[in-house]
Amino acid sequence: MLAVGCSSGGGNDKAAPAFDLEALGQHGERVTLAEHRGTPVVLNFWASWCAPCVKEMPLLERTHQRLGDDVQFLGIDGNDSRRLAVDLMAKTKVTYPSGYDPKDAVFRQYRLRGRPTTVFIDADGTIKGIHAGELKEADLHDLLRRYLGIDAT
């Protein structure tokens, strides 16, 4: 597990870059970070061609269902085929919103290096931590508690 706390000099955390993307599988809907201000966000960057992404999606969905309104789960599918991404969301029964970022603009804005990567954002819109690589259940629970103060057990 690679978990990285995101602090810039002086202990000040970095504001999460805003985004506004077309929602996968929901014609005319948008996925934005701004609409979730006031709620902690678990932001997962994924793609249908990424085997570890596919493996962790059911865990993210289960945790999303368990936590309800305590935290908002969002996905960003990038560098991918829209059709394959929508098919994967249906296959894995993911219900949380995912935005479509075919050119990886948001991925680059967040300065990420690989998939899957999960970003933990507090209710004020501040990045509290980043996890690069596939999440396992114990890791996800630990990171939710450490970065967002949420007990997922």
Side-chain angles (χ1 to χ4, degrees), residues 99-144:
Y100 184 56
D101 187 21
K103 296 185 179 179
D104 264 351
V106 178
F107 186 83
R108 285 192 309 275
Q109 218 178 347
Y110 276 75
R111 299 177 183 211
L112 303 177
R113 296 184 183 190
R115 286 184 182 81
T117 297
T118 305
V119 181
F120 297 83
I121 303 168
D122 72 10
D124 294 328
T126 303
I127 296 175
K128 301 309 281 186
I130 297 174
H131 176 87
E134 181 185 344
L135 282 164
K136 304 294 187 198
E137 189 165 17
D139 298 332
L140 178 57
H141 292 179
D142 176 58
L143 296 171
L144 283 165

mmCIF file of all heavy atoms in Angstrom, residues 99-144:
data_model
loop_
_atom_site.group_PDB
_atom_site.id
_atom_site.type_symbol
_atom_site.label_atom_id
_atom_site.label_comp_id
_atom_site.label_asym_id
_atom_site.label_seq_id
_atom_site.Cartn_x
_atom_site.Cartn_y
_atom_site.Cartn_z
ATOM 1 N N GLY A 99 -17.382 10.414 -13.478
ATOM 2 C CA GLY A 99 -17.232 11.337 -14.595
ATOM 3 C C GLY A 99 -16.349 10.739 -15.668
ATOM 4 O O GLY A 99 -15.490 9.896 -15.393
ATOM 5 N N TYR A 100 -16.576 11.180 -16.892
ATOM 6 C CA TYR A 100 -15.801 10.699 -18.035
ATOM 7 C C TYR A 100 -14.776 11.752 -18.431
ATOM 8 O O TYR A 100 -15.119 12.883 -18.770
ATOM 9 C CB TYR A 100 -16.752 10.404 -19.197
ATOM 10 C CG TYR A 100 -16.073 9.818 -20.409
ATOM 11 C CD1 TYR A 100 -15.315 8.660 -20.311
ATOM 12 C CD2 TYR A 100 -16.215 10.417 -21.647
ATOM 13 C CE1 TYR A 100 -14.700 8.111 -21.424
ATOM 14 C CE2 TYR A 100 -15.606 9.880 -22.779
ATOM 15 C CZ TYR A 100 -14.855 8.730 -22.656
ATOM 16 O OH TYR A 100 -14.246 8.188 -23.768
ATOM 17 N N ASP A 101 -13.497 11.378 -18.362
ATOM 18 C CA ASP A 101 -12.370 12.269 -18.637
ATOM 19 C C ASP A 101 -11.468 11.605 -19.690
ATOM 20 O O ASP A 101 -10.388 11.117 -19.372
ATOM 21 C CB ASP A 101 -11.617 12.522 -17.331
ATOM 22 C CG ASP A 101 -10.526 13.558 -17.444
ATOM 23 O OD1 ASP A 101 -10.570 14.385 -18.383
ATOM 24 O OD2 ASP A 101 -9.619 13.547 -16.594
ATOM 25 N N PRO A 102 -11.921 11.560 -20.955
ATOM 26 C CA PRO A 102 -11.227 10.771 -21.972
ATOM 27 C C PRO A 102 -9.782 11.189 -22.224
ATOM 28 O O PRO A 102 -8.960 10.359 -22.613
ATOM 29 C CB PRO A 102 -12.077 10.961 -23.224
ATOM 30 C CG PRO A 102 -12.811 12.234 -23.014
ATOM 31 C CD PRO A 102 -13.042 12.315 -21.520
ATOM 32 N N LYS A 103 -9.455 12.443 -21.993
ATOM 33 C CA LYS A 103 -8.087 12.917 -22.243
ATOM 34 C C LYS A 103 -7.269 13.066 -20.967
ATOM 35 O O LYS A 103 -6.186 13.642 -20.976
ATOM 36 C CB LYS A 103 -8.130 14.224 -23.021
ATOM 37 C CG LYS A 103 -8.742 14.015 -24.398
ATOM 38 C CD LYS A 103 -8.693 15.243 -25.229
ATOM 39 C CE LYS A 103 -9.314 14.911 -26.588
ATOM 40 N NZ LYS A 103 -9.343 16.050 -27.461
ATOM 41 N N ASP A 104 -7.804 12.594 -19.859
ATOM 42 C CA ASP A 104 -7.083 12.600 -18.568
ATOM 43 C C ASP A 104 -6.727 13.997 -18.061
ATOM 44 O O ASP A 104 -5.745 14.173 -17.341
ATOM 45 C CB ASP A 104 -5.813 11.759 -18.650
ATOM 46 C CG ASP A 104 -6.005 10.347 -18.147
ATOM 47 O OD1 ASP A 104 -7.073 10.054 -17.567
ATOM 48 O OD2 ASP A 104 -5.087 9.526 -18.326
ATOM 49 N N ALA A 105 -7.525 14.981 -18.388
ATOM 50 C CA ALA A 105 -7.244 16.351 -17.947
ATOM 51 C C ALA A 105 -7.265 16.460 -16.425
ATOM 52 O O ALA A 105 -6.386 17.092 -15.826
ATOM 53 C CB ALA A 105 -8.242 17.326 -18.564
ATOM 54 N N VAL A 106 -8.259 15.838 -15.778
ATOM 55 C CA VAL A 106 -8.358 15.923 -14.314
ATOM 56 C C VAL A 106 -7.240 15.104 -13.662
ATOM 57 O O VAL A 106 -6.636 15.539 -12.676
ATOM 58 C CB VAL A 106 -9.750 15.474 -13.819
ATOM 59 C CG1 VAL A 106 -9.837 15.516 -12.303
ATOM 60 C CG2 VAL A 106 -10.837 16.341 -14.451
ATOM 61 N N PHE A 107 -6.944 13.953 -14.223
ATOM 62 C CA PHE A 107 -5.843 13.112 -13.740
ATOM 63 C C PHE A 107 -4.550 13.927 -13.717
ATOM 64 O O PHE A 107 -3.808 13.909 -12.721
ATOM 65 C CB PHE A 107 -5.716 11.898 -14.674
ATOM 66 C CG PHE A 107 -4.729 10.863 -14.247
ATOM 67 C CD1 PHE A 107 -5.067 9.892 -13.318
ATOM 68 C CD2 PHE A 107 -3.463 10.830 -14.806
ATOM 69 C CE1 PHE A 107 -4.156 8.907 -12.942
ATOM 70 C CE2 PHE A 107 -2.545 9.857 -14.440
ATOM 71 C CZ PHE A 107 -2.898 8.900 -13.506
ATOM 72 N N ARG A 108 -4.282 14.664 -14.776
ATOM 73 C CA ARG A 108 -3.083 15.500 -14.832
ATOM 74 C C ARG A 108 -3.176 16.674 -13.859
ATOM 75 O O ARG A 108 -2.176 17.058 -13.244
ATOM 76 C CB ARG A 108 -2.854 16.001 -16.268
ATOM 77 C CG ARG A 108 -2.317 14.914 -17.183
ATOM 78 C CD ARG A 108 -1.819 15.473 -18.500
ATOM 79 N NE ARG A 108 -2.770 16.337 -19.170
ATOM 80 C CZ ARG A 108 -3.748 15.924 -19.967
ATOM 81 N NH1 ARG A 108 -3.916 14.629 -20.175
ATOM 82 N NH2 ARG A 108 -4.552 16.794 -20.552
ATOM 83 N N GLN A 109 -4.365 17.240 -13.714
ATOM 84 C CA GLN A 109 -4.550 18.352 -12.772
ATOM 85 C C GLN A 109 -4.187 17.923 -11.345
ATOM 86 O O GLN A 109 -3.622 18.697 -10.578
ATOM 87 C CB GLN A 109 -6.026 18.773 -12.813
ATOM 88 C CG GLN A 109 -6.276 20.217 -12.721
ATOM 89 C CD GLN A 109 -7.779 20.498 -12.817
ATOM 90 O OE1 GLN A 109 -8.605 19.662 -13.171
ATOM 91 N NE2 GLN A 109 -8.126 21.703 -12.471
ATOM 92 N N TYR A 110 -4.525 16.689 -10.995
ATOM 93 C CA TYR A 110 -4.219 16.156 -9.669
ATOM 94 C C TYR A 110 -2.779 15.643 -9.579
ATOM 95 O O TYR A 110 -2.346 15.210 -8.520
ATOM 96 C CB TYR A 110 -5.208 15.042 -9.295
ATOM 97 C CG TYR A 110 -6.497 15.570 -8.705
ATOM 98 C CD1 TYR A 110 -7.466 16.159 -9.509
ATOM 99 C CD2 TYR A 110 -6.753 15.481 -7.342
ATOM 100 C CE1 TYR A 110 -8.651 16.646 -8.966
ATOM 101 C CE2 TYR A 110 -7.921 15.954 -6.789
ATOM 102 C CZ TYR A 110 -8.866 16.543 -7.614
ATOM 103 O OH TYR A 110 -10.039 17.022 -7.064
ATOM 104 N N ARG A 111 -2.074 15.659 -10.702
ATOM 105 C CA ARG A 111 -0.671 15.239 -10.779
ATOM 106 C C ARG A 111 -0.461 13.803 -10.318
ATOM 107 O O ARG A 111 0.455 13.497 -9.536
ATOM 108 C CB ARG A 111 0.221 16.195 -10.000
ATOM 109 C CG ARG A 111 0.152 17.587 -10.562
ATOM 110 C CD ARG A 111 0.963 18.555 -9.779
ATOM 111 N NE ARG A 111 0.758 19.882 -10.371
ATOM 112 C CZ ARG A 111 1.658 20.818 -10.380
ATOM 113 N NH1 ARG A 111 2.817 20.612 -9.819
ATOM 114 N NH2 ARG A 111 1.398 21.981 -10.930
ATOM 115 N N LEU A 112 -1.301 12.919 -10.834
ATOM 116 C CA LEU A 112 -1.230 11.513 -10.467
ATOM 117 C C LEU A 112 -0.362 10.761 -11.465
ATOM 118 O O LEU A 112 -0.100 11.239 -12.564
ATOM 119 C CB LEU A 112 -2.641 10.933 -10.400
ATOM 120 C CG LEU A 112 -3.579 11.675 -9.433
ATOM 121 C CD1 LEU A 112 -4.970 11.086 -9.485
ATOM 122 C CD2 LEU A 112 -3.026 11.666 -8.016
ATOM 123 N N ARG A 113 0.029 9.544 -11.070
ATOM 124 C CA ARG A 113 0.956 8.782 -11.907
ATOM 125 C C ARG A 113 0.401 7.463 -12.417
ATOM 126 O O ARG A 113 0.950 6.922 -13.365
ATOM 127 C CB ARG A 113 2.235 8.522 -11.136
ATOM 128 C CG ARG A 113 2.941 9.800 -10.817
ATOM 129 C CD ARG A 113 4.231 9.551 -10.163
ATOM 130 N NE ARG A 113 4.814 10.850 -9.815
ATOM 131 C CZ ARG A 113 6.007 11.009 -9.396
ATOM 132 N NH1 ARG A 113 6.795 9.988 -9.239
ATOM 133 N NH2 ARG A 113 6.458 12.214 -9.104
ATOM 134 N N GLY A 114 -0.580 6.900 -11.787
ATOM 135 C CA GLY A 114 -1.067 5.598 -12.217
ATOM 136 C C GLY A 114 -2.462 5.329 -11.702
ATOM 137 O O GLY A 114 -3.015 6.105 -10.918
ATOM 138 N N ARG A 115 -3.017 4.235 -12.159
ATOM 139 C CA ARG A 115 -4.354 3.820 -11.750
ATOM 140 C C ARG A 115 -4.286 2.442 -11.121
ATOM 141 O O ARG A 115 -3.456 1.655 -11.545
ATOM 142 C CB ARG A 115 -5.288 3.753 -12.967
ATOM 143 C CG ARG A 115 -5.675 5.112 -13.447
ATOM 144 C CD ARG A 115 -6.682 4.974 -14.587
ATOM 145 N NE ARG A 115 -7.030 6.272 -15.099
ATOM 146 C CZ ARG A 115 -6.307 6.972 -15.959
ATOM 147 N NH1 ARG A 115 -5.192 6.487 -16.418
ATOM 148 N NH2 ARG A 115 -6.704 8.155 -16.366
ATOM 149 N N PRO A 116 -5.149 2.186 -10.205
ATOM 150 C CA PRO A 116 -6.075 3.124 -9.580
ATOM 151 C C PRO A 116 -5.350 4.038 -8.590
ATOM 152 O O PRO A 116 -4.344 3.658 -8.002
ATOM 153 C CB PRO A 116 -7.072 2.235 -8.848
ATOM 154 C CG PRO A 116 -6.288 1.003 -8.506
ATOM 155 C CD PRO A 116 -5.297 0.830 -9.648
ATOM 156 N N THR A 117 -5.906 5.212 -8.420
ATOM 157 C CA THR A 117 -5.461 6.134 -7.380
ATOM 158 C C THR A 117 -6.701 6.713 -6.724
ATOM 159 O O THR A 117 -7.655 7.078 -7.414
ATOM 160 C CB THR A 117 -4.590 7.269 -7.953
ATOM 161 O OG1 THR A 117 -3.399 6.705 -8.511
ATOM 162 C CG2 THR A 117 -4.207 8.265 -6.872
ATOM 163 N N THR A 118 -6.689 6.759 -5.401
ATOM 164 C CA THR A 118 -7.823 7.264 -4.641
ATOM 165 C C THR A 118 -7.369 8.465 -3.818
ATOM 166 O O THR A 118 -6.358 8.408 -3.121
ATOM 167 C CB THR A 118 -8.398 6.167 -3.735
ATOM 168 O OG1 THR A 118 -8.718 5.018 -4.558
ATOM 169 C CG2 THR A 118 -9.652 6.628 -3.027
ATOM 170 N N VAL A 119 -8.145 9.537 -3.939
ATOM 171 C CA VAL A 119 -7.834 10.796 -3.256
ATOM 172 C C VAL A 119 -8.897 11.020 -2.176
ATOM 173 O O VAL A 119 -10.096 10.911 -2.447
ATOM 174 C CB VAL A 119 -7.826 11.973 -4.258
ATOM 175 C CG1 VAL A 119 -7.492 13.278 -3.554
ATOM 176 C CG2 VAL A 119 -6.847 11.698 -5.396
ATOM 177 N N PHE A 120 -8.454 11.326 -0.969
ATOM 178 C CA PHE A 120 -9.348 11.560 0.164
ATOM 179 C C PHE A 120 -9.423 13.064 0.408
ATOM 180 O O PHE A 120 -8.408 13.699 0.720
ATOM 181 C CB PHE A 120 -8.836 10.817 1.400
ATOM 182 C CG PHE A 120 -8.835 9.323 1.208
ATOM 183 C CD1 PHE A 120 -7.774 8.694 0.567
ATOM 184 C CD2 PHE A 120 -9.912 8.560 1.619
ATOM 185 C CE1 PHE A 120 -7.778 7.324 0.353
ATOM 186 C CE2 PHE A 120 -9.927 7.189 1.414
ATOM 187 C CZ PHE A 120 -8.868 6.568 0.769
ATOM 188 N N ILE A 121 -10.631 13.624 0.252
ATOM 189 C CA ILE A 121 -10.850 15.065 0.315
ATOM 190 C C ILE A 121 -11.808 15.358 1.465
ATOM 191 O O ILE A 121 -12.885 14.763 1.540
ATOM 192 C CB ILE A 121 -11.443 15.569 -1.017
ATOM 193 C CG1 ILE A 121 -10.505 15.188 -2.182
ATOM 194 C CG2 ILE A 121 -11.699 17.067 -0.978
ATOM 195 C CD1 ILE A 121 -11.116 15.368 -3.555
ATOM 196 N N ASP A 122 -11.420 16.283 2.347
ATOM 197 C CA ASP A 122 -12.298 16.589 3.478
ATOM 198 C C ASP A 122 -13.465 17.477 3.043
ATOM 199 O O ASP A 122 -13.550 17.910 1.889
ATOM 200 C CB ASP A 122 -11.529 17.161 4.664
ATOM 201 C CG ASP A 122 -11.027 18.575 4.474
ATOM 202 O OD1 ASP A 122 -11.407 19.249 3.479
ATOM 203 O OD2 ASP A 122 -10.245 19.036 5.319
ATOM 204 N N ALA A 123 -14.372 17.736 3.980
ATOM 205 C CA ALA A 123 -15.602 18.481 3.682
ATOM 206 C C ALA A 123 -15.335 19.906 3.211
ATOM 207 O O ALA A 123 -16.169 20.505 2.535
ATOM 208 C CB ALA A 123 -16.510 18.498 4.917
ATOM 209 N N ASP A 124 -14.156 20.434 3.529
ATOM 210 C CA ASP A 124 -13.790 21.783 3.100
ATOM 211 C C ASP A 124 -13.135 21.804 1.725
ATOM 212 O O ASP A 124 -12.743 22.871 1.240
ATOM 213 C CB ASP A 124 -12.839 22.428 4.111
ATOM 214 C CG ASP A 124 -13.510 22.670 5.449
ATOM 215 O OD1 ASP A 124 -14.728 22.926 5.466
ATOM 216 O OD2 ASP A 124 -12.813 22.593 6.474
ATOM 217 N N GLY A 125 -12.951 20.627 1.098
ATOM 218 C CA GLY A 125 -12.344 20.574 -0.224
ATOM 219 C C GLY A 125 -10.834 20.483 -0.208
ATOM 220 O O GLY A 125 -10.175 20.765 -1.203
ATOM 221 N N THR A 126 -10.278 20.025 0.916
ATOM 222 C CA THR A 126 -8.831 19.911 1.073
ATOM 223 C C THR A 126 -8.403 18.455 0.915
ATOM 224 O O THR A 126 -8.998 17.564 1.527
ATOM 225 C CB THR A 126 -8.409 20.406 2.469
ATOM 226 O OG1 THR A 126 -8.862 21.755 2.621
ATOM 227 C CG2 THR A 126 -6.909 20.345 2.661
ATOM 228 N N ILE A 127 -7.382 18.229 0.109
ATOM 229 C CA ILE A 127 -6.835 16.877 -0.030
ATOM 230 C C ILE A 127 -6.132 16.501 1.264
ATOM 231 O O ILE A 127 -5.199 17.165 1.700
ATOM 232 C CB ILE A 127 -5.849 16.792 -1.213
ATOM 233 C CG1 ILE A 127 -6.566 17.068 -2.529
ATOM 234 C CG2 ILE A 127 -5.173 15.411 -1.235
ATOM 235 C CD1 ILE A 127 -5.639 17.133 -3.735
ATOM 236 N N LYS A 128 -6.584 15.421 1.869
ATOM 237 C CA LYS A 128 -5.984 14.954 3.123
ATOM 238 C C LYS A 128 -5.014 13.803 2.884
ATOM 239 O O LYS A 128 -4.129 13.566 3.687
ATOM 240 C CB LYS A 128 -7.067 14.512 4.112
ATOM 241 C CG LYS A 128 -8.068 15.617 4.458
ATOM 242 C CD LYS A 128 -7.423 16.907 4.877
ATOM 243 C CE LYS A 128 -6.935 16.880 6.301
ATOM 244 N NZ LYS A 128 -6.432 18.200 6.742
ATOM 245 N N GLY A 129 -5.207 13.063 1.785
ATOM 246 C CA GLY A 129 -4.308 11.955 1.488
ATOM 247 C C GLY A 129 -4.612 11.342 0.146
ATOM 248 O O GLY A 129 -5.690 11.538 -0.415
ATOM 249 N N ILE A 130 -3.612 10.615 -0.363
ATOM 250 C CA ILE A 130 -3.726 9.940 -1.656
ATOM 251 C C ILE A 130 -3.219 8.517 -1.487
ATOM 252 O O ILE A 130 -2.177 8.294 -0.859
ATOM 253 C CB ILE A 130 -2.902 10.671 -2.730
ATOM 254 C CG1 ILE A 130 -3.452 12.079 -2.951
ATOM 255 C CG2 ILE A 130 -2.888 9.883 -4.037
ATOM 256 C CD1 ILE A 130 -2.620 12.922 -3.889
ATOM 257 N N HIS A 131 -3.950 7.572 -2.070
ATOM 258 C CA HIS A 131 -3.525 6.171 -2.072
ATOM 259 C C HIS A 131 -3.332 5.745 -3.516
ATOM 260 O O HIS A 131 -4.275 5.760 -4.300
ATOM 261 C CB HIS A 131 -4.580 5.283 -1.404
ATOM 262 C CG HIS A 131 -4.237 3.833 -1.471
ATOM 263 N ND1 HIS A 131 -3.455 3.224 -0.530
ATOM 264 C CD2 HIS A 131 -4.544 2.881 -2.377
ATOM 265 C CE1 HIS A 131 -3.312 1.947 -0.847
ATOM 266 N NE2 HIS A 131 -3.958 1.721 -1.964
ATOM 267 N N ALA A 132 -2.108 5.361 -3.867
ATOM 268 C CA ALA A 132 -1.811 4.862 -5.209
ATOM 269 C C ALA A 132 -1.835 3.341 -5.179
ATOM 270 O O ALA A 132 -1.193 2.726 -4.336
ATOM 271 C CB ALA A 132 -0.450 5.365 -5.662
ATOM 272 N N GLY A 133 -2.587 2.749 -6.086
ATOM 273 C CA GLY A 133 -2.672 1.292 -6.166
ATOM 274 C C GLY A 133 -4.014 0.785 -5.682
ATOM 275 O O GLY A 133 -4.850 1.538 -5.184
ATOM 276 N N GLU A 134 -4.202 -0.518 -5.865
ATOM 277 C CA GLU A 134 -5.463 -1.162 -5.496
ATOM 278 C C GLU A 134 -5.702 -1.098 -3.995
ATOM 279 O O GLU A 134 -4.799 -1.391 -3.205
ATOM 280 C CB GLU A 134 -5.445 -2.625 -5.944
ATOM 281 C CG GLU A 134 -6.708 -3.375 -5.623
ATOM 282 C CD GLU A 134 -6.598 -4.847 -5.966
ATOM 283 O OE1 GLU A 134 -5.690 -5.250 -6.714
ATOM 284 O OE2 GLU A 134 -7.439 -5.621 -5.477
ATOM 285 N N LEU A 135 -6.905 -0.713 -3.620
ATOM 286 C CA LEU A 135 -7.301 -0.688 -2.213
ATOM 287 C C LEU A 135 -7.813 -2.056 -1.776
ATOM 288 O O LEU A 135 -8.593 -2.684 -2.492
ATOM 289 C CB LEU A 135 -8.411 0.333 -1.986
ATOM 290 C CG LEU A 135 -7.993 1.786 -1.927
ATOM 291 C CD1 LEU A 135 -9.199 2.691 -2.095
ATOM 292 C CD2 LEU A 135 -7.275 2.084 -0.627
ATOM 293 N N LYS A 136 -7.375 -2.478 -0.629
ATOM 294 C CA LYS A 136 -7.942 -3.649 0.044
ATOM 295 C C LYS A 136 -8.857 -3.109 1.138
ATOM 296 O O LYS A 136 -8.743 -1.953 1.553
ATOM 297 C CB LYS A 136 -6.836 -4.515 0.660
ATOM 298 C CG LYS A 136 -5.798 -4.964 -0.330
ATOM 299 C CD LYS A 136 -6.348 -5.900 -1.365
ATOM 300 C CE LYS A 136 -5.209 -6.443 -2.213
ATOM 301 N NZ LYS A 136 -5.663 -6.997 -3.452
ATOM 302 N N GLU A 137 -9.755 -3.933 1.653
ATOM 303 C CA GLU A 137 -10.749 -3.459 2.617
ATOM 304 C C GLU A 137 -10.115 -2.837 3.859
ATOM 305 O O GLU A 137 -10.505 -1.750 4.280
ATOM 306 C CB GLU A 137 -11.700 -4.594 3.011
ATOM 307 C CG GLU A 137 -12.864 -4.108 3.819
ATOM 308 C CD GLU A 137 -13.980 -5.127 3.907
ATOM 309 O OE1 GLU A 137 -13.754 -6.312 3.623
ATOM 310 O OE2 GLU A 137 -15.095 -4.716 4.276
ATOM 311 N N ALA A 138 -9.139 -3.506 4.438
ATOM 312 C CA ALA A 138 -8.501 -2.971 5.650
ATOM 313 C C ALA A 138 -7.830 -1.628 5.363
ATOM 314 O O ALA A 138 -7.885 -0.709 6.186
ATOM 315 C CB ALA A 138 -7.495 -3.974 6.204
ATOM 316 N N ASP A 139 -7.197 -1.513 4.193
ATOM 317 C CA ASP A 139 -6.556 -0.249 3.809
ATOM 318 C C ASP A 139 -7.586 0.864 3.698
ATOM 319 O O ASP A 139 -7.381 1.960 4.221
ATOM 320 C CB ASP A 139 -5.851 -0.367 2.448
ATOM 321 C CG ASP A 139 -4.733 -1.393 2.444
ATOM 322 O OD1 ASP A 139 -4.140 -1.638 3.513
ATOM 323 O OD2 ASP A 139 -4.462 -1.941 1.358
ATOM 324 N N LEU A 140 -8.683 0.588 3.008
ATOM 325 C CA LEU A 140 -9.712 1.606 2.815
ATOM 326 C C LEU A 140 -10.262 2.070 4.152
ATOM 327 O O LEU A 140 -10.396 3.266 4.397
ATOM 328 C CB LEU A 140 -10.836 1.083 1.914
ATOM 329 C CG LEU A 140 -11.995 2.047 1.666
ATOM 330 C CD1 LEU A 140 -11.521 3.361 1.067
ATOM 331 C CD2 LEU A 140 -13.039 1.387 0.769
ATOM 332 N N HIS A 141 -10.562 1.131 5.044
ATOM 333 C CA HIS A 141 -11.090 1.500 6.363
ATOM 334 C C HIS A 141 -10.082 2.351 7.139
ATOM 335 O O HIS A 141 -10.451 3.354 7.758
ATOM 336 C CB HIS A 141 -11.462 0.258 7.159
ATOM 337 C CG HIS A 141 -12.644 -0.457 6.582
ATOM 338 N ND1 HIS A 141 -13.146 -1.603 7.126
ATOM 339 C CD2 HIS A 141 -13.429 -0.194 5.508
ATOM 340 C CE1 HIS A 141 -14.183 -2.019 6.415
ATOM 341 N NE2 HIS A 141 -14.358 -1.177 5.431
ATOM 342 N N ASP A 142 -8.809 1.947 7.078
ATOM 343 C CA ASP A 142 -7.765 2.701 7.779
ATOM 344 C C ASP A 142 -7.637 4.114 7.216
ATOM 345 O O ASP A 142 -7.533 5.081 7.967
ATOM 346 C CB ASP A 142 -6.426 1.963 7.673
ATOM 347 C CG ASP A 142 -5.287 2.755 8.300
ATOM 348 O OD1 ASP A 142 -5.372 3.076 9.501
ATOM 349 O OD2 ASP A 142 -4.322 3.065 7.569
ATOM 350 N N LEU A 143 -7.649 4.255 5.897
ATOM 351 C CA LEU A 143 -7.480 5.563 5.264
ATOM 352 C C LEU A 143 -8.685 6.462 5.496
ATOM 353 O O LEU A 143 -8.530 7.671 5.702
ATOM 354 C CB LEU A 143 -7.191 5.390 3.775
ATOM 355 C CG LEU A 143 -5.873 4.668 3.473
ATOM 356 C CD1 LEU A 143 -5.766 4.347 1.986
ATOM 357 C CD2 LEU A 143 -4.680 5.461 3.963
ATOM 358 N N LEU A 144 -9.884 5.896 5.484
ATOM 359 C CA LEU A 144 -11.087 6.687 5.798
ATOM 360 C C LEU A 144 -11.006 7.247 7.213
ATOM 361 O O LEU A 144 -11.342 8.404 7.455
ATOM 362 C CB LEU A 144 -12.351 5.848 5.634
ATOM 363 C CG LEU A 144 -12.811 5.626 4.207
ATOM 364 C CD1 LEU A 144 -13.828 4.490 4.135
ATOM 365 C CD2 LEU A 144 -13.392 6.907 3.626
#
